[in-house]
């Protein structure tokens, strides 16, 4: 069966450290993968997109990697800040309709 | 300048009622979506429309019916509401990445 798993429901790290979130999938062949941030009471907000032929993408303190052999994406936040605390969702894009299928999310808390 | 807006933000209603949630986007996107986010925060697609045409229709009860009067609007009508319909419903639109609305918190009593 098809599954998207994000490493843990909750992750606590100290301010200034690098947060690493994992997204693993099985029985999908995604065209690309996206990461979103969701704050309480709000809709998800797009952060980064990485295509199947790309290994790594960066945007400011954010970095995403995509390994289609391992069927895994890693999402890194360097020099983390309390303002980075949120739920982070990975989403696979599949099919001609470019359907998004979301993982269950990881709730990140950056402790001051 | 709200990109994707939904109304109402909160909806509390009795079981068996019929209700509608409205969604509008001003981004000029051709594709719009409805998602349901349950109490465990799992976000699942329900419907997708492209240029007013239904292109994704996941396994959703017939009581849920989307309607797209034009490319900028995608409304969701729910008949005979049940307790299990309580959730947050998000509308989204996209060209490549998706822009989500603020959500409608539905509570069925």
């Amino acid at each position: 069966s098809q599954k998207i798993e994000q490493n843990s429901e909750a992750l606590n790290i100290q301010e200034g450290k690098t947060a690493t979130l994992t997204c693993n999938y099985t029985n999908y062949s995604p065209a690309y993968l996206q990461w979103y941030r969701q704050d309480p009471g709000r809709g998800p907000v797009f952060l980064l997109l990485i295509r199947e032929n790309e290994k790594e993408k960066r945007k400011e303190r954010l970095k995403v990697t995509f390994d289609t052999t391992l069927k895994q994406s890693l999402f890194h936040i360097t020099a983390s800040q309390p303002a980075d605390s949120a739920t982070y969702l990975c989403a696979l894009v599949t099919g001609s309709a470019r359907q998004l299928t979301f993982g269950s999310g990881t709730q990140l808390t950056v402790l001051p | 300048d709200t990109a994707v807006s939904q109304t109402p933000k909160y909806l509390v209603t009795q079981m068996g009622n019929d209700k509608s949630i409205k969604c509008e986007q001003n981004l000029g996107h051709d594709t719009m979506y409805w998602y349901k986010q349950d109490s465990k925060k799992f976000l699942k697609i329900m419907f997708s429309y492209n240029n007013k045409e239904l292109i994704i229709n996941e396994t959703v009860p017939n009581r849920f019916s989307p309607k797209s009067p034009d490319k900028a609007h995608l409304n969701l009508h729910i008949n005979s509401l049940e307790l299990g319909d309580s959730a947050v419903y998000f509308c989204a639109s996209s060209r490549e990445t998706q822009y989500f609305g603020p959500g409608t918190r539905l509570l069925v009593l």
Side-chain angles (χ1 to χ4, degrees):
Chain A
S1 63
Q2 295 177 316
K3 272 196 297 188
I4 305 172
E5 291 178 319
Q6 294 191 236
N7 56 324
S8 53
E9 277 190 31
L11 179 65
N12 295 338
I13 63 163
Q14 211 60 44
E15 183 176 5
K17 301 289 186 188
T18 296
T20 298
L21 284 63
T22 306
C23 178
N24 294 298
Y25 60 92
T26 52
N27 294 323
Y28 282 102
S29 296
Y32 47 94
L33 186 147
Q34 302 181 11
W35 284 88
Y36 287 78
R37 169 184 172 141
Q38 186 173 22
D39 291 285
R42 293 177 176 268
V45 174
F46 169 75
L47 295 175
L48 281 168
L49 178 158
I50 187 163
R51 300 182 194 283
E52 58 179 336
N53 60 350
E54 296 175 317
K55 295 289 186 194
E56 183 179 297
K57 266 281 186 66
R58 290 176 187 260
K59 179 182 171 184
E60 297 169 356
R61 295 184 295 110
L62 309 181
K63 184 176 90 170
V64 171
T65 63
F66 192 15
D67 189 325
T68 54
T69 303
L70 289 179
K71 297 188 185 299
Q72 180 183 79
S73 174
L74 299 179
F75 177 80
H76 307 271
I77 307 174
T78 57
S80 59
Q81 304 164 0
D84 296 326
S85 300
T87 296
Y88 291 86
L89 302 160
C90 73
L92 302 184
V93 180
T94 59
S96 56
R98 290 294 184 253
Q99 178 172 340
L100 270 188
T101 304
F102 282 89
S104 52
T106 296
Q107 186 174 338
L108 174 68
T109 302
V110 181
L111 304 166
Chain B
D1 284 7
T2 307
V4 181
S5 59
Q6 292 178 230
T7 53
K9 188 164 182 180
Y10 298 96
L11 188 51
V12 181
T13 189
Q14 297 287 331
M15 246 182 1
N17 284 349
D18 302 340
K19 290 292 178 188
S20 291
I21 308 172
K22 295 188 175 182
C23 177
E24 177 180 0
Q25 55 99 1
N26 63 5
L27 298 166
H29 292 160
D30 288 339
T31 309
M32 296 184 71
Y33 308 82
W34 276 108
Y35 289 86
K36 178 180 180 180
Q37 190 168 45
D38 59 26
S39 55
K40 294 187 178 176
K41 308 298 183 190
F42 187 60
L43 194 62
K44 188 167 166 50
I45 190 163
M46 299 172 69
F47 303 102
S48 173
Y49 269 72
N50 183 270
N51 274 323
K52 301 197 303 174
E53 185 183 331
L54 182 66
I55 58 170
I56 295 174
N57 185 358
E58 290 297 299
T59 307
V60 175
N62 291 343
R63 300 181 294 103
F64 291 79
S65 53
K67 284 192 174 47
S68 181
D70 55 58
K71 273 178 24 173
H73 295 84
L74 181 63
N75 304 323
L76 183 65
H77 189 75
I78 317 169
N79 287 329
S80 304
L81 278 155
E82 299 178 358
L83 295 177
D85 298 332
S86 297
V88 183
Y89 292 84
F90 287 102
C91 175
S93 74
S94 78
R95 186 158 286 135
E96 188 170 53
T97 61
Q98 296 201 7
Y99 292 79
F100 284 80
T104 295
R105 284 137 194 86
L106 172 65
L107 178 60
V108 182
L109 302 174

